[in-house]
PDB file of all heavy atoms in Angstrom:
ATOM      1  N   ARG A 283     -49.285  46.183   0.725  1.00  0.00           N
ATOM      2  CA  ARG A 283     -48.451  46.689  -0.253  1.00  0.00           C
ATOM      3  C   ARG A 283     -47.372  45.573  -0.716  1.00  0.00           C
ATOM      4  O   ARG A 283     -47.146  45.408  -1.873  1.00  0.00           O
ATOM      5  CB  ARG A 283     -47.714  47.935   0.201  1.00  0.00           C
ATOM      6  CG  ARG A 283     -46.776  48.473  -0.796  1.00  0.00           C
ATOM      7  CD  ARG A 283     -45.586  49.159  -0.142  1.00  0.00           C
ATOM      8  NE  ARG A 283     -44.698  49.550  -1.256  1.00  0.00           N
ATOM      9  CZ  ARG A 283     -44.111  50.727  -1.401  1.00  0.00           C
ATOM     10  NH1 ARG A 283     -44.417  51.643  -0.513  1.00  0.00           N
ATOM     11  NH2 ARG A 283     -43.265  50.959  -2.347  1.00  0.00           N
ATOM     12  N   THR A 284     -46.789  44.971   0.245  1.00  0.00           N
ATOM     13  CA  THR A 284     -45.742  43.962   0.036  1.00  0.00           C
ATOM     14  C   THR A 284     -46.317  42.819  -0.727  1.00  0.00           C
ATOM     15  O   THR A 284     -45.716  42.409  -1.789  1.00  0.00           O
ATOM     16  CB  THR A 284     -45.129  43.471   1.298  1.00  0.00           C
ATOM     17  OG1 THR A 284     -44.560  44.633   2.028  1.00  0.00           O
ATOM     18  CG2 THR A 284     -44.001  42.503   1.064  1.00  0.00           C
ATOM     19  N   VAL A 285     -47.439  42.326  -0.416  1.00  0.00           N
ATOM     20  CA  VAL A 285     -47.988  41.066  -1.019  1.00  0.00           C
ATOM     21  C   VAL A 285     -48.388  41.433  -2.401  1.00  0.00           C
ATOM     22  O   VAL A 285     -48.156  40.772  -3.411  1.00  0.00           O
ATOM     23  CB  VAL A 285     -49.114  40.519  -0.203  1.00  0.00           C
ATOM     24  CG1 VAL A 285     -49.853  39.362  -0.956  1.00  0.00           C
ATOM     25  CG2 VAL A 285     -48.646  40.008   1.133  1.00  0.00           C
ATOM     26  N   GLY A 287     -47.696  44.190  -4.348  1.00  0.00           N
ATOM     27  CA  GLY A 287     -46.590  44.539  -5.245  1.00  0.00           C
ATOM     28  C   GLY A 287     -45.758  43.429  -5.677  1.00  0.00           C
ATOM     29  O   GLY A 287     -45.323  43.354  -6.816  1.00  0.00           O
ATOM     30  N   THR A 288     -45.460  42.455  -4.815  1.00  0.00           N
ATOM     31  CA  THR A 288     -44.642  41.293  -5.139  1.00  0.00           C
ATOM     32  C   THR A 288     -45.351  40.453  -6.204  1.00  0.00           C
ATOM     33  O   THR A 288     -44.757  40.068  -7.199  1.00  0.00           O
ATOM     34  CB  THR A 288     -44.301  40.482  -3.925  1.00  0.00           C
ATOM     35  OG1 THR A 288     -43.617  41.343  -2.973  1.00  0.00           O
ATOM     36  CG2 THR A 288     -43.395  39.349  -4.263  1.00  0.00           C
ATOM     37  N   LEU A 289     -46.657  40.113  -5.987  1.00  0.00           N
ATOM     38  CA  LEU A 289     -47.318  39.334  -6.857  1.00  0.00           C
ATOM     39  C   LEU A 289     -47.461  39.953  -8.342  1.00  0.00           C
ATOM     40  O   LEU A 289     -47.267  39.268  -9.298  1.00  0.00           O
ATOM     41  CB  LEU A 289     -48.795  39.029  -6.334  1.00  0.00           C
ATOM     42  CG  LEU A 289     -48.791  38.154  -5.167  1.00  0.00           C
ATOM     43  CD1 LEU A 289     -50.287  38.022  -4.677  1.00  0.00           C
ATOM     44  CD2 LEU A 289     -48.226  36.777  -5.451  1.00  0.00           C
ATOM     45  N   ILE A 290     -47.766  41.269  -8.300  1.00  0.00           N
ATOM     46  CA  ILE A 290     -47.864  41.999  -9.589  1.00  0.00           C
ATOM     47  C   ILE A 290     -46.559  41.927 -10.341  1.00  0.00           C
ATOM     48  O   ILE A 290     -46.390  41.661 -11.519  1.00  0.00           O
ATOM     49  CB  ILE A 290     -48.390  43.441  -9.433  1.00  0.00           C
ATOM     50  CG1 ILE A 290     -49.801  43.402  -8.982  1.00  0.00           C
ATOM     51  CG2 ILE A 290     -48.209  44.248 -10.689  1.00  0.00           C
ATOM     52  CD1 ILE A 290     -50.371  44.785  -8.646  1.00  0.00           C
ATOM     53  N   THR A 291     -45.433  42.139  -9.657  1.00  0.00           N
ATOM     54  CA  THR A 291     -44.153  42.253 -10.296  1.00  0.00           C
ATOM     55  C   THR A 291     -43.737  40.827 -10.732  1.00  0.00           C
ATOM     56  O   THR A 291     -43.152  40.752 -11.907  1.00  0.00           O
ATOM     57  CB  THR A 291     -43.109  42.729  -9.254  1.00  0.00           C
ATOM     58  OG1 THR A 291     -43.400  44.047  -8.825  1.00  0.00           O
ATOM     59  CG2 THR A 291     -41.689  42.732  -9.794  1.00  0.00           C
ATOM     60  N   LEU A 292     -44.009  39.773  -9.984  1.00  0.00           N
ATOM     61  CA  LEU A 292     -43.705  38.449 -10.442  1.00  0.00           C
ATOM     62  C   LEU A 292     -44.496  38.055 -11.781  1.00  0.00           C
ATOM     63  O   LEU A 292     -43.892  37.492 -12.708  1.00  0.00           O
ATOM     64  CB  LEU A 292     -44.067  37.441  -9.425  1.00  0.00           C
ATOM     65  CG  LEU A 292     -43.138  37.404  -8.142  1.00  0.00           C
ATOM     66  CD1 LEU A 292     -43.611  36.483  -7.172  1.00  0.00           C
ATOM     67  CD2 LEU A 292     -41.668  37.028  -8.611  1.00  0.00           C
ATOM     68  N   VAL A 293     -45.785  38.319 -11.783  1.00  0.00           N
ATOM     69  CA  VAL A 293     -46.649  38.047 -12.932  1.00  0.00           C
ATOM     70  C   VAL A 293     -46.111  38.762 -14.196  1.00  0.00           C
ATOM     71  O   VAL A 293     -45.878  38.191 -15.248  1.00  0.00           O
ATOM     72  CB  VAL A 293     -48.126  38.360 -12.675  1.00  0.00           C
ATOM     73  CG1 VAL A 293     -48.948  38.219 -13.943  1.00  0.00           C
ATOM     74  CG2 VAL A 293     -48.617  37.439 -11.627  1.00  0.00           C
ATOM     75  N   THR A 295     -43.111  40.383 -14.738  1.00  0.00           N
ATOM     76  CA  THR A 295     -41.814  40.125 -15.030  1.00  0.00           C
ATOM     77  C   THR A 295     -41.595  38.797 -15.713  1.00  0.00           C
ATOM     78  O   THR A 295     -40.923  38.664 -16.799  1.00  0.00           O
ATOM     79  CB  THR A 295     -40.889  40.190 -13.748  1.00  0.00           C
ATOM     80  OG1 THR A 295     -40.978  41.453 -13.186  1.00  0.00           O
ATOM     81  CG2 THR A 295     -39.441  39.924 -14.116  1.00  0.00           C
ATOM     82  N   VAL A 296     -42.243  37.698 -15.176  1.00  0.00           N
ATOM     83  CA  VAL A 296     -42.126  36.406 -15.768  1.00  0.00           C
ATOM     84  C   VAL A 296     -42.743  36.376 -17.110  1.00  0.00           C
ATOM     85  O   VAL A 296     -42.195  35.795 -18.152  1.00  0.00           O
ATOM     86  CB  VAL A 296     -42.695  35.358 -14.857  1.00  0.00           C
ATOM     87  CG1 VAL A 296     -42.725  33.918 -15.515  1.00  0.00           C
ATOM     88  CG2 VAL A 296     -41.933  35.291 -13.535  1.00  0.00           C
ATOM     89  N   GLN A 356     -34.328  43.104 -12.973  1.00  0.00           N
ATOM     90  CA  GLN A 356     -34.970  41.790 -12.649  1.00  0.00           C
ATOM     91  C   GLN A 356     -35.501  41.160 -13.929  1.00  0.00           C
ATOM     92  O   GLN A 356     -35.493  39.923 -14.082  1.00  0.00           O
ATOM     93  CB  GLN A 356     -36.133  42.035 -11.699  1.00  0.00           C
ATOM     94  CG  GLN A 356     -35.716  42.571 -10.381  1.00  0.00           C
ATOM     95  CD  GLN A 356     -36.832  42.753  -9.390  1.00  0.00           C
ATOM     96  OE1 GLN A 356     -37.969  42.220  -9.640  1.00  0.00           O
ATOM     97  NE2 GLN A 356     -36.584  43.468  -8.296  1.00  0.00           N
ATOM     98  N   THR A 360     -34.320  37.469 -15.189  1.00  0.00           N
ATOM     99  CA  THR A 360     -35.213  36.427 -15.428  1.00  0.00           C
ATOM    100  C   THR A 360     -35.220  35.874 -16.836  1.00  0.00           C
ATOM    101  O   THR A 360     -35.368  34.689 -17.056  1.00  0.00           O
ATOM    102  CB  THR A 360     -36.626  36.913 -15.129  1.00  0.00           C
ATOM    103  OG1 THR A 360     -36.698  37.567 -13.849  1.00  0.00           O
ATOM    104  CG2 THR A 360     -37.758  35.850 -15.159  1.00  0.00           C
ATOM    105  N   SER A 394     -38.859  27.150 -12.757  1.00  0.00           N
ATOM    106  CA  SER A 394     -38.227  28.420 -12.442  1.00  0.00           C
ATOM    107  C   SER A 394     -38.387  28.852 -10.957  1.00  0.00           C
ATOM    108  O   SER A 394     -38.243  30.056 -10.719  1.00  0.00           O
ATOM    109  CB  SER A 394     -38.884  29.510 -13.406  1.00  0.00           C
ATOM    110  OG  SER A 394     -38.765  29.137 -14.769  1.00  0.00           O
ATOM    111  N   MET A 395     -38.498  27.880 -10.082  1.00  0.00           N
ATOM    112  CA  MET A 395     -38.657  28.312  -8.728  1.00  0.00           C
ATOM    113  C   MET A 395     -37.494  29.057  -8.125  1.00  0.00           C
ATOM    114  O   MET A 395     -37.712  29.943  -7.317  1.00  0.00           O
ATOM    115  CB  MET A 395     -38.955  27.007  -7.864  1.00  0.00           C
ATOM    116  CG  MET A 395     -40.352  26.485  -8.117  1.00  0.00           C
ATOM    117  SD  MET A 395     -41.677  27.620  -7.915  1.00  0.00           S
ATOM    118  CE  MET A 395     -41.467  28.061  -6.135  1.00  0.00           C
ATOM    119  N   PRO A 396     -36.262  28.735  -8.435  1.00  0.00           N
ATOM    120  CA  PRO A 396     -35.119  29.445  -7.959  1.00  0.00           C
ATOM    121  C   PRO A 396     -35.202  30.933  -8.290  1.00  0.00           C
ATOM    122  O   PRO A 396     -34.983  31.863  -7.430  1.00  0.00           O
ATOM    123  CB  PRO A 396     -33.906  28.822  -8.544  1.00  0.00           C
ATOM    124  CG  PRO A 396     -34.322  27.436  -8.836  1.00  0.00           C
ATOM    125  CD  PRO A 396     -35.737  27.536  -9.284  1.00  0.00           C
ATOM    126  N   ILE A 397     -35.488  31.290  -9.506  1.00  0.00           N
ATOM    127  CA  ILE A 397     -35.560  32.708  -9.921  1.00  0.00           C
ATOM    128  C   ILE A 397     -36.728  33.441  -9.370  1.00  0.00           C
ATOM    129  O   ILE A 397     -36.801  34.562  -9.046  1.00  0.00           O
ATOM    130  CB  ILE A 397     -35.410  32.825 -11.481  1.00  0.00           C
ATOM    131  CG1 ILE A 397     -35.114  34.277 -11.875  1.00  0.00           C
ATOM    132  CG2 ILE A 397     -36.594  32.381 -12.195  1.00  0.00           C
ATOM    133  CD1 ILE A 397     -33.722  34.762 -11.334  1.00  0.00           C
ATOM    134  N   LEU A 398     -37.853  32.618  -9.256  1.00  0.00           N
ATOM    135  CA  LEU A 398     -39.092  33.208  -8.774  1.00  0.00           C
ATOM    136  C   LEU A 398     -38.912  33.541  -7.273  1.00  0.00           C
ATOM    137  O   LEU A 398     -39.398  34.639  -6.871  1.00  0.00           O
ATOM    138  CB  LEU A 398     -40.254  32.215  -8.980  1.00  0.00           C
ATOM    139  CG  LEU A 398     -40.701  32.014 -10.396  1.00  0.00           C
ATOM    140  CD1 LEU A 398     -41.873  30.976 -10.416  1.00  0.00           C
ATOM    141  CD2 LEU A 398     -41.158  33.320 -11.110  1.00  0.00           C
ATOM    142  N   VAL A 399     -38.380  32.684  -6.547  1.00  0.00           N
ATOM    143  CA  VAL A 399     -38.070  32.971  -5.092  1.00  0.00           C
ATOM    144  C   VAL A 399     -37.069  34.105  -5.021  1.00  0.00           C
ATOM    145  O   VAL A 399     -37.266  34.916  -4.073  1.00  0.00           O
ATOM    146  CB  VAL A 399     -37.502  31.669  -4.417  1.00  0.00           C
ATOM    147  CG1 VAL A 399     -37.143  31.988  -2.997  1.00  0.00           C
ATOM    148  CG2 VAL A 399     -38.613  30.566  -4.408  1.00  0.00           C
ATOM    149  N   THR A 400     -36.074  34.199  -5.811  1.00  0.00           N
ATOM    150  CA  THR A 400     -35.156  35.278  -5.713  1.00  0.00           C
ATOM    151  C   THR A 400     -35.819  36.652  -6.059  1.00  0.00           C
ATOM    152  O   THR A 400     -35.720  37.570  -5.293  1.00  0.00           O
ATOM    153  CB  THR A 400     -34.039  35.071  -6.808  1.00  0.00           C
ATOM    154  OG1 THR A 400     -33.371  33.870  -6.562  1.00  0.00           O
ATOM    155  CG2 THR A 400     -33.036  36.259  -6.770  1.00  0.00           C
ATOM    156  N   LEU A 401     -36.703  36.641  -7.151  1.00  0.00           N
ATOM    157  CA  LEU A 401     -37.421  37.888  -7.407  1.00  0.00           C
ATOM    158  C   LEU A 401     -38.401  38.131  -6.244  1.00  0.00           C
ATOM    159  O   LEU A 401     -38.545  39.432  -5.912  1.00  0.00           O
ATOM    160  CB  LEU A 401     -38.221  37.676  -8.742  1.00  0.00           C
ATOM    161  CG  LEU A 401     -37.356  37.553  -9.980  1.00  0.00           C
ATOM    162  CD1 LEU A 401     -38.372  37.340 -11.117  1.00  0.00           C
ATOM    163  CD2 LEU A 401     -36.490  38.723 -10.228  1.00  0.00           C
ATOM    164  N   GLY A 402     -39.023  37.217  -5.711  1.00  0.00           N
ATOM    165  CA  GLY A 402     -39.903  37.407  -4.622  1.00  0.00           C
ATOM    166  C   GLY A 402     -39.222  38.052  -3.449  1.00  0.00           C
ATOM    167  O   GLY A 402     -39.764  38.960  -2.756  1.00  0.00           O
ATOM    168  N   LEU A 403     -38.018  37.537  -3.075  1.00  0.00           N
ATOM    169  CA  LEU A 403     -37.320  38.088  -1.930  1.00  0.00           C
ATOM    170  C   LEU A 403     -36.938  39.539  -2.225  1.00  0.00           C
ATOM    171  O   LEU A 403     -36.960  40.390  -1.313  1.00  0.00           O
ATOM    172  CB  LEU A 403     -36.076  37.164  -1.638  1.00  0.00           C
ATOM    173  CG  LEU A 403     -35.231  37.647  -0.460  1.00  0.00           C
ATOM    174  CD1 LEU A 403     -36.062  37.620   0.810  1.00  0.00           C
ATOM    175  CD2 LEU A 403     -33.956  36.737  -0.345  1.00  0.00           C
ATOM    176  N   TRP A 404     -36.415  39.789  -3.402  1.00  0.00           N
ATOM    177  CA  TRP A 404     -36.033  41.145  -3.758  1.00  0.00           C
ATOM    178  C   TRP A 404     -37.107  42.120  -3.559  1.00  0.00           C
ATOM    179  O   TRP A 404     -37.015  43.158  -2.984  1.00  0.00           O
ATOM    180  CB  TRP A 404     -35.540  41.164  -5.157  1.00  0.00           C
ATOM    181  CG  TRP A 404     -34.148  40.684  -5.416  1.00  0.00           C
ATOM    182  CD1 TRP A 404     -33.241  40.392  -4.400  1.00  0.00           C
ATOM    183  CD2 TRP A 404     -33.531  40.430  -6.574  1.00  0.00           C
ATOM    184  NE1 TRP A 404     -32.096  39.940  -4.989  1.00  0.00           N
ATOM    185  CE2 TRP A 404     -32.176  39.912  -6.311  1.00  0.00           C
ATOM    186  CE3 TRP A 404     -33.907  40.444  -7.934  1.00  0.00           C
ATOM    187  CZ2 TRP A 404     -31.308  39.554  -7.335  1.00  0.00           C
ATOM    188  CZ3 TRP A 404     -33.105  39.987  -8.976  1.00  0.00           C
ATOM    189  CH2 TRP A 404     -31.785  39.554  -8.666  1.00  0.00           C
ATOM    190  N   ASN A 405     -38.358  41.743  -4.049  1.00  0.00           N
ATOM    191  CA  ASN A 405     -39.475  42.628  -4.045  1.00  0.00           C
ATOM    192  C   ASN A 405     -40.107  42.703  -2.687  1.00  0.00           C
ATOM    193  O   ASN A 405     -40.556  43.810  -2.285  1.00  0.00           O
ATOM    194  CB  ASN A 405     -40.504  42.257  -5.007  1.00  0.00           C
ATOM    195  CG  ASN A 405     -40.092  42.491  -6.500  1.00  0.00           C
ATOM    196  OD1 ASN A 405     -40.281  43.609  -6.970  1.00  0.00           O
ATOM    197  ND2 ASN A 405     -39.529  41.487  -7.130  1.00  0.00           N
ATOM    198  N   ILE A 406     -40.036  41.665  -1.893  1.00  0.00           N
ATOM    199  CA  ILE A 406     -40.571  41.697  -0.518  1.00  0.00           C
ATOM    200  C   ILE A 406     -39.791  42.697   0.324  1.00  0.00           C
ATOM    201  O   ILE A 406     -40.327  43.575   1.057  1.00  0.00           O
ATOM    202  CB  ILE A 406     -40.593  40.285   0.118  1.00  0.00           C
ATOM    203  CG1 ILE A 406     -41.740  39.372  -0.538  1.00  0.00           C
ATOM    204  CG2 ILE A 406     -40.763  40.376   1.638  1.00  0.00           C
ATOM    205  CD1 ILE A 406     -41.699  37.982  -0.063  1.00  0.00           C
ATOM    206  N   VAL A 407     -38.391  42.583   0.195  1.00  0.00           N
ATOM    207  CA  VAL A 407     -37.519  43.485   0.928  1.00  0.00           C
ATOM    208  C   VAL A 407     -37.752  44.900   0.510  1.00  0.00           C
ATOM    209  O   VAL A 407     -37.745  45.796   1.272  1.00  0.00           O
ATOM    210  CB  VAL A 407     -36.104  42.980   0.823  1.00  0.00           C
ATOM    211  CG1 VAL A 407     -35.206  44.018   1.467  1.00  0.00           C
ATOM    212  CG2 VAL A 407     -35.861  41.616   1.424  1.00  0.00           C
ATOM    213  N   PHE A 408     -37.882  45.088  -0.838  1.00  0.00           N
ATOM    214  CA  PHE A 408     -38.027  46.436  -1.365  1.00  0.00           C
ATOM    215  C   PHE A 408     -39.331  47.110  -0.840  1.00  0.00           C
ATOM    216  O   PHE A 408     -39.255  48.209  -0.348  1.00  0.00           O
ATOM    217  CB  PHE A 408     -38.014  46.416  -2.909  1.00  0.00           C
ATOM    218  CG  PHE A 408     -38.386  47.697  -3.560  1.00  0.00           C
ATOM    219  CD1 PHE A 408     -37.566  48.783  -3.612  1.00  0.00           C
ATOM    220  CD2 PHE A 408     -39.749  47.852  -4.120  1.00  0.00           C
ATOM    221  CE1 PHE A 408     -37.980  49.959  -4.189  1.00  0.00           C
ATOM    222  CE2 PHE A 408     -40.090  49.023  -4.658  1.00  0.00           C
ATOM    223  CZ  PHE A 408     -39.231  50.100  -4.671  1.00  0.00           C
ATOM    224  N   HIS A 409     -40.495  46.377  -1.065  1.00  0.00           N
ATOM    225  CA  HIS A 409     -41.692  46.972  -0.641  1.00  0.00           C
ATOM    226  C   HIS A 409     -41.780  47.116   0.820  1.00  0.00           C
ATOM    227  O   HIS A 409     -42.464  48.079   1.373  1.00  0.00           O
ATOM    228  CB  HIS A 409     -42.861  46.149  -1.131  1.00  0.00           C
ATOM    229  CG  HIS A 409     -43.085  46.284  -2.637  1.00  0.00           C
ATOM    230  ND1 HIS A 409     -43.558  47.457  -3.180  1.00  0.00           N
ATOM    231  CD2 HIS A 409     -42.869  45.491  -3.702  1.00  0.00           C
ATOM    232  CE1 HIS A 409     -43.599  47.300  -4.523  1.00  0.00           C
ATOM    233  NE2 HIS A 409     -43.267  46.138  -4.840  1.00  0.00           N
ATOM    234  N   TRP A 410     -41.266  46.176   1.609  1.00  0.00           N
ATOM    235  CA  TRP A 410     -41.412  46.318   3.047  1.00  0.00           C
ATOM    236  C   TRP A 410     -40.542  47.492   3.667  1.00  0.00           C
ATOM    237  O   TRP A 410     -40.934  48.139   4.585  1.00  0.00           O
ATOM    238  CB  TRP A 410     -40.954  45.038   3.697  1.00  0.00           C
ATOM    239  CG  TRP A 410     -41.085  44.939   5.193  1.00  0.00           C
ATOM    240  CD1 TRP A 410     -40.157  45.213   6.158  1.00  0.00           C
ATOM    241  CD2 TRP A 410     -42.345  44.733   5.929  1.00  0.00           C
ATOM    242  NE1 TRP A 410     -40.712  45.166   7.384  1.00  0.00           N
ATOM    243  CE2 TRP A 410     -42.073  44.874   7.204  1.00  0.00           C
ATOM    244  CE3 TRP A 410     -43.625  44.486   5.526  1.00  0.00           C
ATOM    245  CZ2 TRP A 410     -43.042  44.600   8.239  1.00  0.00           C
ATOM    246  CZ3 TRP A 410     -44.565  44.253   6.494  1.00  0.00           C
ATOM    247  CH2 TRP A 410     -44.255  44.361   7.806  1.00  0.00           C
ATOM    248  N   ILE A 472     -39.375  40.721   8.308  1.00  0.00           N
ATOM    249  CA  ILE A 472     -38.586  40.422   7.123  1.00  0.00           C
ATOM    250  C   ILE A 472     -37.431  39.549   7.307  1.00  0.00           C
ATOM    251  O   ILE A 472     -37.016  38.782   6.460  1.00  0.00           O
ATOM    252  CB  ILE A 472     -38.139  41.841   6.520  1.00  0.00           C
ATOM    253  CG1 ILE A 472     -37.799  41.628   5.040  1.00  0.00           C
ATOM    254  CG2 ILE A 472     -37.033  42.386   7.296  1.00  0.00           C
ATOM    255  CD1 ILE A 472     -38.908  41.308   4.147  1.00  0.00           C
ATOM    256  N   ILE A 475     -38.414  35.719   7.115  1.00  0.00           N
ATOM    257  CA  ILE A 475     -38.677  35.141   5.766  1.00  0.00           C
ATOM    258  C   ILE A 475     -37.435  34.575   5.091  1.00  0.00           C
ATOM    259  O   ILE A 475     -37.465  33.582   4.410  1.00  0.00           O
ATOM    260  CB  ILE A 475     -39.281  36.297   4.832  1.00  0.00           C
ATOM    261  CG1 ILE A 475     -40.661  36.714   5.428  1.00  0.00           C
ATOM    262  CG2 ILE A 475     -39.415  35.743   3.420  1.00  0.00           C
ATOM    263  CD1 ILE A 475     -41.304  37.851   4.606  1.00  0.00           C
ATOM    264  N   TYR A 476     -36.303  35.216   5.316  1.00  0.00           N
ATOM    265  CA  TYR A 476     -35.042  34.890   4.576  1.00  0.00           C
ATOM    266  C   TYR A 476     -34.645  33.408   4.717  1.00  0.00           C
ATOM    267  O   TYR A 476     -34.277  32.810   3.763  1.00  0.00           O
ATOM    268  CB  TYR A 476     -33.964  35.808   4.888  1.00  0.00           C
ATOM    269  CG  TYR A 476     -32.731  35.547   4.179  1.00  0.00           C
ATOM    270  CD1 TYR A 476     -32.608  36.070   2.907  1.00  0.00           C
ATOM    271  CD2 TYR A 476     -31.579  34.941   4.690  1.00  0.00           C
ATOM    272  CE1 TYR A 476     -31.380  35.805   2.159  1.00  0.00           C
ATOM    273  CE2 TYR A 476     -30.460  34.721   3.987  1.00  0.00           C
ATOM    274  CZ  TYR A 476     -30.418  35.136   2.714  1.00  0.00           C
ATOM    275  OH  TYR A 476     -29.241  34.989   2.028  1.00  0.00           O
ATOM    276  N   VAL A 479     -36.042  30.965   2.168  1.00  0.00           N
ATOM    277  CA  VAL A 479     -35.857  31.173   0.726  1.00  0.00           C
ATOM    278  C   VAL A 479     -34.360  31.249   0.405  1.00  0.00           C
ATOM    279  O   VAL A 479     -33.985  31.461  -0.766  1.00  0.00           O
ATOM    280  CB  VAL A 479     -36.514  32.441   0.241  1.00  0.00           C
ATOM    281  CG1 VAL A 479     -38.052  32.296   0.485  1.00  0.00           C
ATOM    282  CG2 VAL A 479     -36.001  33.661   0.882  1.00  0.00           C
ATOM    283  N   TYR A 482     -32.991  28.794  -2.401  1.00  0.00           N
ATOM    284  CA  TYR A 482     -33.370  29.146  -3.827  1.00  0.00           C
ATOM    285  C   TYR A 482     -32.661  30.456  -4.230  1.00  0.00           C
ATOM    286  O   TYR A 482     -32.507  30.653  -5.371  1.00  0.00           O
ATOM    287  CB  TYR A 482     -34.924  29.361  -3.826  1.00  0.00           C
ATOM    288  CG  TYR A 482     -35.670  28.111  -3.533  1.00  0.00           C
ATOM    289  CD1 TYR A 482     -36.303  27.871  -2.341  1.00  0.00           C
ATOM    290  CD2 TYR A 482     -35.743  27.092  -4.551  1.00  0.00           C
ATOM    291  CE1 TYR A 482     -37.052  26.697  -2.140  1.00  0.00           C
ATOM    292  CE2 TYR A 482     -36.452  25.884  -4.294  1.00  0.00           C
ATOM    293  CZ  TYR A 482     -37.114  25.701  -3.123  1.00  0.00           C
ATOM    294  OH  TYR A 482     -37.827  24.602  -2.860  1.00  0.00           O
ATOM    295  N   PHE A 483     -32.498  31.339  -3.276  1.00  0.00           N
ATOM    296  CA  PHE A 483     -31.947  32.666  -3.607  1.00  0.00           C
ATOM    297  C   PHE A 483     -30.551  32.597  -4.169  1.00  0.00           C
ATOM    298  O   PHE A 483     -30.247  33.220  -5.201  1.00  0.00           O
ATOM    299  CB  PHE A 483     -31.925  33.546  -2.389  1.00  0.00           C
ATOM    300  CG  PHE A 483     -31.341  34.927  -2.501  1.00  0.00           C
ATOM    301  CD1 PHE A 483     -31.996  35.832  -3.079  1.00  0.00           C
ATOM    302  CD2 PHE A 483     -30.002  35.167  -2.075  1.00  0.00           C
ATOM    303  CE1 PHE A 483     -31.503  37.133  -3.280  1.00  0.00           C
ATOM    304  CE2 PHE A 483     -29.481  36.459  -2.368  1.00  0.00           C
ATOM    305  CZ  PHE A 483     -30.231  37.422  -2.874  1.00  0.00           C
ATOM    306  N   GLY A 486     -30.713  30.991  -7.693  1.00  0.00           N
ATOM    307  CA  GLY A 486     -31.378  31.874  -8.707  1.00  0.00           C
ATOM    308  C   GLY A 486     -30.421  32.991  -9.146  1.00  0.00           C
ATOM    309  O   GLY A 486     -30.374  33.423 -10.246  1.00  0.00           O
TER     310      GLY A 486
END
Side-chain angles (χ1 to χ4, degrees):
R283 178 210 174 133
T284 302
V285 174
T288 302
L289 290 178
I290 292 177
T291 300
L292 286 176
V293 171
T295 302
V296 172
Q356 295 181 15
T360 308
S394 304
M395 289 306 298
I397 194 64
L398 292 180
V399 174
T400 302
L401 295 179
L403 180 61
W404 283 347
N405 288 277
I406 287 173
V407 173
F408 169 77
H409 284 290
W410 184 261
I472 199 67
I475 296 176
Y476 184 76
V479 299
Y482 296 105
F483 178 76

